[in-house]
Each structure stands twice: as C-alpha cells, then as structure tokens.
Amino acid sequence: MESLRRLSFVSIIALLAYFAFLASAELHVREFVIEPRPVKRLCRTHQSITVNGQFPGPTLEVRNGDSLAITVINRARYNISIHWHGLRQMRNPWADGPEYITQCPIRPGQSYTYKFTIEDQEGTLWWHAHSRWLRATVYGALIIYPRLGSPYPFSMPKRDIPILLGEWWDRNPMDVLRQAQFTGAAANVSDAYTINGQPGDLYRCSRAGTMRFPIFPGETVQLRVINAGMNQELFFSVANHQLTVVETDSAYTKPFTTNVIMLGPGQTTNVLITANQRPGRYYMAARAYNSANAPFDNTTTTAILEYVNAPTRRGRGRGQIAPVFPVLPGFNDTATATAFTNRLRYWKRAPVPQQIDENLFFTVGLGLINCVNPNSPRCQGPNGTRFAASMNNMSFVLPRTNSVMQAYYQGIPGIFTTDFPPVPPVQYDYTGNVSRALWQPIKGTKAYQLKYKAHVQIVLQDTSIVTPENHPMHLHGYQFYVVGSGFGNFNPRTDPARFNLFDPPERNTIGTPPGGWVAIRFVADNPGAWFMHCHIDSHLGWGLAMVFLVENGRGQLQSVQAPPLDLPRC
C-alpha cells in the first residue's frame, strides 16, 4: 500500500510538471509580408525585397517548446519560400521551406502559413528565403531561449546582440543571378559586406549608417554572430577584445577564447565579450576567407563597439576618437580557419552513433559542362564551358512541376529517382591532378533513401576539379556530429582511428577543408525529404546538392505528418 501511495505521488508530480511545461509554452503568431521597399546603400537606392519593410528582417525570439504560426504573404514579383535554418522540423518537412524540395513556392499574391514547434532546441539560428537569390536581402535572426527555469551551461550575460553578416550587391541580386545563369560564367561578386544590413565606415556613403553597439565598462555581452552571406566564408574579430566561444549552430560548446572566428555561409557562432579595455571605440570587422582560386569581394565591413564613457577629442577638431581596428587574418589563411574549427568541442559527452548502418562517401566540388559551340554567349565559363557543381558526380536539378516531398508522399512518379550513389561512380585521386574526362557531371534529380533510425556516417570529400575549396555543407532537418576532418584524400583504413567519438561538435552546416575531407554522423530519426547542399548559393544553383528520403518508422509518432491544407499549389 505504501509503495502504491509513493507511486501515485510520483505520478502526480510528473503530471504537474508536464502541465507546467504546457502552460509555459507559447504560440507565436506572426505575419511576414514580402514586398519591395527602397533601401539606400553605397550612395544608391534599390527596390530591395524585404520582410515587413525591414532589412534585415525581424528577429524572432522564442523559447524551447514554443510553437509558431508565421503567415508569409507574397507581395513581391518573385516566387518565394522561407527556410527556418537549423530547425529540425520533426516529422514536419512541410514547414522546412526549400522550394521544389518540400513545397512549391509561394507565388506573387499568394500566402502560406508555416506552422511548427521548437522541440528540444535552443540557441542561435536564423531564417531566410530559399528561392534562388532572394535570401540576399530576405533573412533574419531566430533566437531560441531555454525553457523557463532551465539553466545555461555557462554564466549567461544579461544582454545579447545579434550580429548578422551579409553581402550587398549594388544592383538587383536576381539580375546578377539571371546574368550568370545565361552566360554559364561565375556570378559577379558582391560590392560590400554588411553587419546588420550596414556596410560600415570603409565604404562610400556608409559612415552615417554604421552600426554602433554601446557597452558599459566591465560589462559582458553575448554576440550571436550569423553568416547570412550568399557566397563567402568570413573571418570576424573585435579590436583588442577576446571572444569566448560558447555555442555553434544552436549547440553549446566547451568554452574557449580566441581573437578571431570563422563562419561559413549558414553557420552561427555565439561568443561572450567583456568590456575590459581602456574606454574607447573599437571596430568589430568581417572580411573574406577565400580558399578557392576564384575572384571574391576583398572588402571589409565594420561596426563599432562603443564604451559609454569613451573620451572625445578636445580643442580643434573636437569629436569622437577614431575606433581601433582589429588584426584580421589574410584572405587565404586556411591555417587560422582550420585551427579555429579544430578547437570546437561539444559541451559534454555527445550521444554520437558508435555503430554505423549507412557508411556513405560523397565527393563535393565544382565541374564544367562542355558546350557544342564554345563561342556561344551562353558558354562564358573557362575555355568556352558552363560552370557546374556536383556530389558524387551528380549535379542536382530542381524539379519544376512538383516538390520532391509532395511527389514522395503522394507516390507521384517522374519527379525524382532514388539512385543517388552512396560512393563516387568512379574512384580517382580526388585532390590530385584529376583527368579532364571526370570534370563534367551528370545532371539529375536524385535522392538517397534511409531507413528510420539508421545510424549514418558521411565522409564529405572535396575535390581539386576546377579548384579545391571550403564548401559549407548544410543538412536540412538534422543536427550532426563532426567526428573528424583532414587534408588530402580520406583514408578509410587509417583516418577513422583518429575520430572524436566523445565530444565532437554538433552542427547543421560544416565546411569541407579545401583539398580535404570531413566526416559527420547522425541518427536518421526524422522522416521526410531533407535537402543536403552547399550553402554557397552559386554552388547550389550549379547543382551541389542531393536529397535524403528518410522512411517512416512505426506508428504516427514516427511518421510524417499529413500536409497542411494551404500548402502552395504547384
């Protein structure tokens, strides 16, 4: 009888805790109106595509366990979809957002409500357009706080600041894309980098808009740094101040201090910074890390960390003292980028899959399509070719009449095939002098099927075709553990012995070392169609992508939800 009473008491406590959790969860109902608005940068005004008239778009602040219903109303002249970058969207691929992968786009004059719940995630993520190059201006921060009463694994400052790094073109980005698609050449590089939408002091007509962040002496704040840039990895630093890394891609890390961080497009990094220097004004700055033998935007964006008691000049020429500038690595400093990445560790023992069911090996890199008429205006790539990109020599082509997920769910044939190769069709010296016969990939819309709860390992191998390069690879619907990396060709006999299976960093986007490889592991516990692609948008457009089809498990809680009634029509 006494044991029954104890059991009843424990059950009541558990029920009360559950109901308290439900009571603390909120529903956030928002509207995102997609519309052109005048935005002036670099002395010129452009009709830029914005969300609710804002550039960057609004910051979403929610808690773990909250639900969101965000109605996207398209008043622009382009089709659009919105991706909630890094959210797992458990059993709910319909809310993931990539056009023609999990939905058809929202057409001009139409709307769609993205409905989803935050499940066991917290930290810094972001949202952005997932339709061609619209994300150049359509993006914003997504901040997920812990559930009420749940602690941080570090001493959390009272204040944090989103820092969104972006790229700006002094013309319509969609026209930049359209020109590149016509010529087959590389797209024009950006004209400026931005911090929270502003280029900063080093660009023409930009000083008045430079972002300024006041800070009190002795205060510690958290910077939530997001690389929302289209095509460029970036170094970021703050003059004379140490950065303490505490999180990457919404996963806590073992804290460590550094002078500089490197983020690929799509990645986020949270750092703590303490105002422990002489009162003054200090530039925070970002510039390119460019690992490829290719043109890039070699400019620097700045904002100002401003002590509230910073002195001013006296006498003639009175005014604010010029900010101190940070020491940034050289644009090709792969050693610094690699050293930073190699220091990342999960904050505790990580639940890494130890036994592997699917051992996959994917080459990732560029290619060239040969032209029948090399002198054609549509063949302006190297030596009269068109640029391409591929994974395992398969260059991904987006469907145009239906989305992969809808075709998969409804059993509609002819939209995709499930024969994406688990290993390269031809083995070769991936980082050596590759035969030109292997430079042209095969085009197709190919997916790879995974059993529910399969333990998956993927080795992503960069190639030297056209140029070796750091490719920031993003997997939708999943977080994964980065268990190893190295330069040169992956050696399956010796390299796994060096894998970190104890505390590897958890991420949703990871760069391949230029001319090297990176290995990731995850459990396929989220059924649906999930896009994997390079987050350099030029490369995505050239075909550096594939799709995973994760099968349903048993019962409703292991199966994809039914599609919403307002899913955009194809």
Side-chain angles (χ1 to χ4, degrees):
M1 184 63 74
E2 182 62 28
S3 62
L4 284 174
R5 285 198 191 97
R6 285 179 183 169
L7 186 60
S8 298
F9 179 73
V10 171
S11 299
I12 290 169
I13 293 297
L15 278 171
L16 288 174
Y18 176 70
F19 286 126
F21 158 69
L22 290 180
S24 67
E26 293 186 33
L27 171 63
H28 302 263
V29 179
R30 301 285 294 272
E31 277 191 354
F32 275 16
V33 179
I34 312 296
E35 59 186 348
R37 285 290 183 88
V39 178
K40 186 175 183 179
R41 298 290 186 273
L42 308 182
C43 313
R44 297 179 62 188
T45 300
H46 297 272
Q47 289 294 318
S48 298
I49 306 302
T50 66
V51 176
N52 298 347
Q54 300 176 43
F55 168 66
T59 296
L60 296 174
E61 296 181 78
V62 300
R63 288 192 179 276
N64 185 10
D66 287 357
S67 296
L68 294 88
I70 301 178
T71 300
V72 177
I73 302 168
N74 189 2
R75 294 180 183 163
R77 59 190 175 107
Y78 306 106
N79 294 342
I80 196 167
S81 64
I82 301 293
H83 171 51
W84 317 94
H85 184 111
L87 277 186
R88 295 216 51 202
Q89 305 286 12
M90 298 299 293
R91 303 185 301 108
N92 186 21
W94 315 110
D96 190 44
E99 68 174 2
Y100 295 112
I101 302 298
T102 58
Q103 66 169 93
C104 288
I106 307 165
R107 301 186 184 280
Q110 302 298 311
S111 66
Y112 175 47
T113 300
Y114 292 90
K115 297 177 181 177
F116 51 90
T117 298
I118 312 294
E119 297 186 46
D120 297 323
Q121 288 187 267
E122 54 191 67
T124 303
L125 295 174
W126 63 301
W127 56 266
H128 60 81
H130 213 299
S131 302
R132 293 165 293 169
W133 275 32
L134 290 178
R135 80 170 181 88
T137 56
V138 178
Y139 62 86
L142 171 55
I143 299 172
I144 308 172
Y145 300 110
R147 291 186 175 100
L148 287 171
S150 296
Y152 291 88
F154 57 90
S155 181
M156 179 64 181
K158 294 180 180 177
R159 194 161 63 94
D160 59 16
I161 303 170
I163 303 291
L164 290 94
L165 309 177
E167 290 182 80
W168 179 263
W169 277 263
D170 198 20
R171 58 185 294 202
N172 183 349
M174 294 292 278
D175 290 341
V176 176
L177 172 63
R178 192 175 295 113
Q179 179 183 1
Q181 288 175 329
F182 178 82
T183 64
N188 291 339
V189 300
S190 56
D191 297 289
Y193 301 115
T194 58
I195 294 178
N196 292 3
Q198 294 291 343
D201 286 356
L202 304 185
Y203 298 90
R204 64 185 186 273
C205 304
S206 299
R207 186 175 294 271
T210 298
M211 296 299 301
R212 289 167 169 78
F213 303 106
I215 193 169
F216 290 90
E219 182 185 15
T220 298
V221 299
Q222 179 174 234
L223 305 181
R224 299 178 181 267
V225 188
I226 301 165
N227 187 349
M230 294 287 289
N231 297 316
Q232 192 63 60
E233 292 91 349
L234 294 168
F235 288 117
F236 174 86
S237 185
V238 182
N240 292 9
H241 289 75
Q242 290 279 297
L243 308 175
T244 300
V245 178
V246 294
E247 180 198 308
T248 57
D249 289 359
S250 79
Y252 296 122
T253 65
K254 288 183 171 67
F256 67 90
T257 58
T258 179
N259 295 319
V260 63
I261 62 176
M262 192 282 288
L263 304 92
Q267 292 183 324
T268 72
T269 302
N270 286 19
V271 297
L272 307 183
I273 182 170
T274 299
N276 55 10
Q277 298 299 302
R278 178 180 299 175
R281 304 167 74 236
Y282 299 87
Y283 275 128
M284 55 178 66
R287 65 172 294 186
Y289 164 50
N290 191 63
S291 59
N293 181 20
F296 68 100
D297 178 355
N298 194 18
T299 63
T300 303
T301 181
T302 58
I304 299 171
L305 185 71
E306 196 164 56
Y307 284 57
V308 295
N309 60 341
T312 57
R313 288 196 190 96
R314 296 180 180 179
R316 184 180 298 179
R318 282 186 294 178
Q320 294 177 321
I321 294 174
V324 180
F325 204 85
V327 177
L328 287 164
F331 72 86
N332 59 352
D333 192 344
T334 293
T336 293
T338 303
F340 169 73
T341 302
N342 287 347
R343 294 183 70 186
L344 296 170
R345 294 288 184 274
Y346 194 60
W347 69 287
K348 59 181 180 179
R349 180 160 192 168
V352 186
Q354 301 293 310
Q355 303 299 319
I356 298 301
D357 304 311
E358 292 275 2
N359 197 350
L360 307 175
F361 184 87
F362 294 172
T363 56
V364 296
L366 305 185
L368 297 174
I369 301 293
N370 296 321
C371 293
V372 175
N373 179 10
N375 297 319
S376 165
R378 296 188 60 82
C379 297
Q380 298 300 303
N383 301 314
T385 61
R386 293 180 60 85
F387 271 110
S390 68
M391 299 176 67
N392 278 357
N393 205 43
M394 302 297 160
S395 187
F396 190 84
V397 178
L398 281 174
R400 283 300 175 204
T401 59
N402 209 332
S403 75
V404 172
M405 184 63 217
Q406 286 164 280
Y408 177 55
Y409 189 84
Q410 298 166 2
I412 299 173
I415 304 300
F416 64 90
T417 60
T418 57
D419 56 345
F420 184 87
V423 296
V426 177
Q427 293 188 9
Y428 57 95
D429 180 3
Y430 307 112
T431 56
N433 187 13
V434 181
S435 166
R436 290 300 290 261
L438 297 172
W439 283 37
Q440 179 161 308
I442 299 167
K443 291 190 175 185
T445 307
K446 295 181 182 292
Y448 188 86
Q449 287 191 274
L450 294 171
K451 296 288 187 184
Y452 182 77
K453 282 288 182 84
H455 290 195
V456 183
Q457 175 177 290
I458 310 173
V459 174
L460 298 163
Q461 173 72 61
D462 184 34
T463 78
S464 59
I465 296 175
V466 181
T467 177
E469 186 167 359
N470 183 303
H471 294 281
M473 300 300 296
H474 174 49
L475 176 58
H476 290 229
Y478 285 89
Q479 295 274 110
F480 49 75
Y481 295 100
V482 184
V483 297
S485 63
F487 289 96
N489 296 336
F490 175 73
N491 187 325
R493 293 184 299 277
T494 59
D495 286 328
R498 299 187 292 111
F499 283 0
N500 175 9
L501 303 180
F502 182 79
D503 60 354
E506 185 182 24
R507 307 214 65 150
N508 61 56
T509 306
I510 187 63
T512 58
W517 56 271
V518 63
I520 65 174
R521 290 187 178 187
F522 63 95
V523 177
D525 60 355
N526 192 10
W530 304 107
F531 210 19
M532 187 176 201
H533 64 89
C534 181
H535 220 279
I536 294 175
D537 273 42
S538 288
H539 298 178
L540 172 58
W542 290 339
L544 213 169
M546 56 82 66
V547 175
F548 281 111
L549 296 177
V550 180
E551 298 174 4
N552 287 334
R554 294 182 179 179
Q556 183 178 356
L557 295 181
Q558 295 182 359
S559 301
V560 170
Q561 299 174 15
L565 296 178
D566 66 335
L567 194 69
R569 297 193 176 210
C570 296

